[in-house]
Amino acid sequence: MTYDHYFADALARLRQERRYRVFADLERIAGRFPHATWHSPEGPRPVVIWCSNDYLGMGQHPKVIGAMVETATRMGTGAGGTRNISGTNHPLVELERELADLHGKEAALVFTSGYVSNETGIATIAQLMPNCVIFSDAFNHNSMIEGVRRSGAEKKIFRHNDLAHLEAMLAAEPLDRPKLIVVESVYSMGDGVAPIARICDLAERYHAMTYVDEVHAVGMYGPAGAGVCAREGAMHRVDVIEGTLAKAFGCLGGYIAASANLIDAVRSYAHGFIFTTALPPAVCAAVTAAIRHLRTSQWERDRHQERVARTKAVLEGAGIPVMQSGTHIVPVIVGESEKCKAATDLLLEEHGIYIQPINYPTVPRGTERLRITPSPYHEDALIDALAEALVDVWGRLGLSLKRRPLAAE
């Protein structure tokens, strides 16, 4: 009996639903970001990346590269094992101390990715509190959803950023029942920012724990780049802060920061931590270098915000339908999966602009979009070229530009 037809059928369904994903073969050029080489079917071509999560370009920073190269030369490449079996290398211990200090917490725990830190962290925390009920924002990332599911705890989903809905759910539970509220600070597809301080107010009123995913905010916002919780003066009120090392810090990995007891309990019980190889020393040293640089340098954050503002203004001036996000993420609504994919194909093949289409199930049907992420290194000419290319693509695909109001209006 052959089984391959099951997989062929599954792929056919994705193609029929216009959800089949094609990965672009890209070669980033250190020192020239956002410029890269696309290894297209017809051969290498220069492109400009407009959708990277390396928001501040730290993946090419000399301090970060230098720390990685020096540590790899001195200590070798891999970690050599799990954290329990020889993998707790000294740069990793230093990284966890740096992260705890960044967030004003007693301790931090590093995982192999931000996805794993959410999936494992949420599940383990809830499992260690008998009869726990989890309150989860409807727009939470898939990694958080999987963490909630794997916990086995009762879950209640509240409407996105709807605190009245959250409060009604909290009020329906006994005060002494363990409760965990899980939200993102910056929502990854441009769906706004969570009202962290008000969520903390509710958590304190109804005796709930708070878990905030700051993956799109660490390095980007707040004093020293500690995130939205720090910017809002609420970092000390949040019980668990989760973050990534792969976006603003330009490397790889994820983490949680919290009380010493909570971190030690997750370290001791979480299968997704215990049974996986630790991050290599060179990666840990590179991340620490990035964090330390961004704690003292404001230039990257200021320049980034200025570039984001200019990108939004230029695109809106050209009539491109930019969705207001209140963050550094610039979502451009297309609304149809097929045209969303066609738009990105035209941008890449004819304009040398690389943006991935964001279709269902990442976003709800009818809200398909381009997710644009300017960096400090997207110069004026690149922003202007992006606007011109989008106007051309919109016209060719019959998409509607936003009507610009007359001065008298």
Side-chain angles (χ1 to χ4, degrees), residues 39-202:
H39 291 272
S40 76
E42 289 75 37
R45 290 180 53 187
V47 296
V48 176
I49 298 176
W50 272 102
C51 59
S52 174
N53 284 338
D54 186 2
Y55 294 133
L56 301 179
M58 291 303 294
Q60 66 173 10
H61 196 283
K63 290 181 182 177
V64 179
I65 295 173
M68 179 173 281
V69 171
E70 187 278 330
T71 306
T73 301
R74 179 167 49 89
M75 299 184 66
T77 54
T82 65
R83 291 293 296 271
N84 187 51
I85 305 176
S86 83
T88 300
N89 54 83
H90 186 61
L92 179 45
V93 173
E94 288 189 321
L95 171 59
E96 289 178 335
R97 290 172 181 160
E98 190 74 28
L99 289 165
D101 188 62
L102 175 68
H103 293 295
K105 301 300 183 188
E106 292 178 340
L109 194 66
V110 166
F111 297 80
T112 50
S113 75
Y115 193 103
V116 174
S117 59
N118 265 336
E119 182 183 50
T120 301
I122 292 171
T124 306
I125 291 166
Q127 287 167 355
L128 292 174
M129 298 189 293
N131 196 34
C132 178
V133 55
I134 301 177
F135 301 86
S136 180
D137 188 286
F139 281 18
N140 276 345
H141 188 264
N142 177 265
S143 59
M144 303 179 80
I145 294 169
E146 283 300 303
V148 172
R149 184 186 64 79
R150 287 189 59 238
S151 74
E154 182 182 357
K155 66 179 179 183
K156 294 182 181 292
I157 311 300
F158 61 93
R159 292 184 292 271
H160 178 52
N161 278 350
D162 187 336
L163 297 196
H165 192 206
L166 172 60
E167 181 168 19
M169 290 180 170
L170 287 165
E173 299 296 332
L175 273 181
D176 61 352
R177 183 179 186 184
K179 307 173 192 70
L180 179 65
I181 302 171
V182 295
V183 299
E184 296 182 51
S185 61
V186 172
Y187 283 85
S188 61
M189 290 299 133
D191 294 301
V193 180
I196 299 296
R198 293 165 59 204
I199 289 171
C200 289
D201 290 343
L202 291 179

Side-chain angles (χ1 to χ4, degrees), residues 114-326:
Y115 193 103
V116 174
S117 59
N118 265 336
E119 182 183 50
T120 301
I122 292 171
T124 306
I125 291 166
Q127 287 167 355
L128 292 174
M129 298 189 293
N131 196 34
C132 178
V133 55
I134 301 177
F135 301 86
S136 180
D137 188 286
F139 281 18
N140 276 345
H141 188 264
N142 177 265
S143 59
M144 303 179 80
I145 294 169
E146 283 300 303
V148 172
R149 184 186 64 79
R150 287 189 59 238
S151 74
E154 182 182 357
K155 66 179 179 183
K156 294 182 181 292
I157 311 300
F158 61 93
R159 292 184 292 271
H160 178 52
N161 278 350
D162 187 336
L163 297 196
H165 192 206
L166 172 60
E167 181 168 19
M169 290 180 170
L170 287 165
E173 299 296 332
L175 273 181
D176 61 352
R177 183 179 186 184
K179 307 173 192 70
L180 179 65
I181 302 171
V182 295
V183 299
E184 296 182 51
S185 61
V186 172
Y187 283 85
S188 61
M189 290 299 133
D191 294 301
V193 180
I196 299 296
R198 293 165 59 204
I199 289 171
C200 289
D201 290 343
L202 291 179
E204 291 163 8
R205 186 177 308 151
Y206 294 101
H207 300 184
M209 279 186 64
T210 48
Y211 180 110
V212 178
D213 174 323
E214 289 254 51
V215 298
H216 296 276
V218 290
M220 309 287 293
Y221 300 96
V228 168
C229 294
R231 185 187 70 179
E232 302 302 314
M235 192 162 62
H236 65 288
R237 302 175 67 194
V238 174
D239 294 294
V240 185
I241 291 176
E242 186 268 348
T244 184
L245 311 173
K247 293 182 171 64
F249 297 135
C251 295
L252 176 72
Y255 65 91
I256 57 173
S259 70
N261 281 336
L262 185 148
I263 293 298
D264 200 14
V266 173
R267 181 191 69 88
S268 301
Y269 282 89
H271 291 178
F273 173 82
I274 294 170
F275 296 104
T276 192
T277 300
L279 282 186
V283 172
C284 298
V287 176
T288 302
I291 295 169
R292 288 174 178 169
H293 174 79
L294 290 174
R295 291 184 76 168
T296 58
S297 174
Q298 187 62 30
W299 179 85
E300 287 83 0
R301 284 185 286 276
D302 290 346
R303 169 72 173 174
H304 180 257
Q305 288 297 318
E306 186 273 327
R307 294 287 85 191
V308 169
R310 188 180 192 281
T311 301
K312 290 178 178 179
V314 170
L315 296 188
E316 288 169 351
I320 301 300
V322 175
M323 186 176 93
Q324 298 305 309
S325 69

Side-chain angles (χ1 to χ4, degrees), residues 3 7 46 66-67 168 190 256 314 380:
Y3 290 88
F7 313 117
I256 57 173
V314 170
D380 287 358

Side-chain angles (χ1 to χ4, degrees), residues 332-338 340 358-360 363-370:
V332 172
I333 296 298
V334 178
E336 300 176 42
S337 60
E338 194 164 354
C340 197
I358 305 297
N359 290 334
Y360 175 85
V363 295
R365 296 185 194 275
T367 70
E368 291 83 358
R369 66 197 68 175
L370 310 184

